[in-house]
Amino acid sequence: DTKLSISGIAKRYGPTAALEPTTLDVRRGEFLTLLGPSGSGKTTLLMMIAGLVEPSAGRILLEGEDITERPAYRRDIGLVFQNYALFPHLTVAENIAFPLEMRHMPRPEMTRAVTEALELVRLPHLGQRYPRELSGGQQQRVAFARAIVFKPALVLMDEPLGALDKKLREELKLELRKLHRELGATIVYVTHDQDEAMLLSDRICLMANARVAQVDAPTDLYNRP
Ligand code: ADP
Ligand code: ADP
């Protein structure tokens, strides 16, 4: 059951191939990780799925619909980056409500959705705080909540634990796994951390030199001839 179908997608910057033509299917409900060293093309691929980088070639289907030509803001996709990117002048609840405001969700429904999202990321009491009053780990949880509150077809995460210290990273790693189970969302996740990929992923897409080298379940990754 295919959620996202990427065919022949490629990106060049002048003579440099940031991503060679790549074909990849993401299954419904899976946690798929793009794992590879710095410069291997992970972020470029993720940003093309997000609609934030224009492909040089190829196309992308989300639920069978061609989104290659659709601008980023019209895509049914939740995004989380390394540096939280919360709005500093909005409360936590307003930050989480933002994508719902964009979609003109009625107030009562919005309040319910924000409350649910706050509970899901285990911050039920922090709705009226401002981002600067929160720790880094709490801010990143708010960013998770904002990315999932509108029940997107797909959630994209680029090194979301990269800015956190080791202890917080371990903690949020386990929470991310739970979050994925509870949501049943389809997640494409970027990291260069092998342990993180092994723990979180249903499948790992190993990238090197602007190409996909291998796609496998974590347990099969090192056992394939
Ligand atoms: P990763 O996320 O795996 O670290 P990237 O997708 O960021 O890799 O980058 C892949 C390659 O494309 C790198 O060689 C990088 O220097 C190049 N690249 C990425 N973005 C640009 C850009 N805007 N202009 C020129 N080269 C770029
Ligand atoms: P407004 O912008 O209408 O003054 P708020 O500043 O209270 O409203 O927050 C914006 C939206 O976020 C509200 O419409 C509400 O749906 C939601 N919201 C605000 N605070 C909370 C909270 N503590 N728990 C859940 N949802 C909240």
Side-chain angles (χ1 to χ4, degrees):
D1 193 0
T2 301
K3 186 74 172 189
L4 183 71
S5 179
I6 296 162
S7 49
I9 213 81
K11 183 66 183 178
R12 305 195 69 84
Y13 293 101
T16 312
L19 189 72
E20 300 285 359
T22 293
T23 294
L24 175 68
D25 278 355
V26 181
R27 299 169 187 157
R28 185 179 308 278
E30 86 170 321
F31 196 120
L32 181 110
T33 297
L34 309 178
L35 172 67
S38 176
S40 57
K42 307 181 298 292
T43 296
T44 300
L45 176 54
L46 198 78
M47 290 302 120
M48 289 195 284
I49 299 169
L52 298 171
V53 166
E54 196 187 342
S56 308
R59 50 187 214 132
I60 302 176
L61 305 186
L62 179 58
E63 312 238 287
E65 191 194 344
D66 195 331
I67 59 166
T68 322
E69 300 295 323
R70 268 175 59 198
Y73 67 88
R74 287 189 48 218
R75 294 182 184 199
D76 189 12
I77 292 176
L79 282 170
V80 183
F81 299 106
Q82 181 169 335
N83 55 347
Y84 334 133
L86 302 177
F87 304 114
H89 301 293
L90 299 183
T91 64
V92 163
E94 288 167 340
N95 264 281
I96 298 172
F98 194 80
L100 305 177
E101 300 271 8
M102 301 279 284
R103 289 166 174 78
H104 307 290
M105 181 181 273
R107 286 281 137 175
E109 210 180 315
M110 191 183 295
T111 305
R112 210 177 318 125
V114 171
T115 302
E116 262 176 38
L118 279 167
E119 282 168 3
L120 202 63
V121 297
R122 294 169 178 84
L123 299 175
H125 307 304
L126 297 187
Q128 298 313 311
R129 300 274 192 92
Y130 284 88
R132 66 173 173 277
E133 302 173 304
L134 271 51
S135 72
Q138 289 173 333
Q139 290 187 50
Q140 195 55 295
R141 289 205 208 124
V142 176
F144 291 149
R146 188 179 55 183
I148 53 138
V149 71
F150 60 100
K151 303 200 167 26
L154 184 66
V155 181
L156 305 177
M157 301 187 175
D158 194 352
E159 304 257 6
L161 310 183
L164 306 175
D165 63 40
K166 189 163 164 41
K167 187 168 168 290
L168 264 177
R169 208 157 55 225
E170 292 304 315
E171 194 179 309
L172 254 75
K173 218 173 5 179
L174 296 174
E175 286 196 17
L176 253 182
R177 206 162 75 151
K178 258 194 245 164
L179 195 66
H180 174 245
R181 290 221 190 94
E182 286 170 27
L183 279 175
T186 309
I187 298 180
V188 181
Y189 188 91
V190 163
T191 187
H192 63 268
D193 182 329
Q194 191 170 318
D195 294 338
E196 207 172 292
M198 296 295 279
L199 178 80
L200 289 170
S201 316
D202 294 313
R203 288 193 305 157
I204 294 174
C205 173
L206 203 60
M207 299 190 62
N209 304 319
R211 294 171 198 281
V212 171
Q214 190 182 347
V215 186
D216 260 318
T219 46
D220 295 335
L221 205 59
Y222 305 104
N223 300 322
R224 199 141 297 221

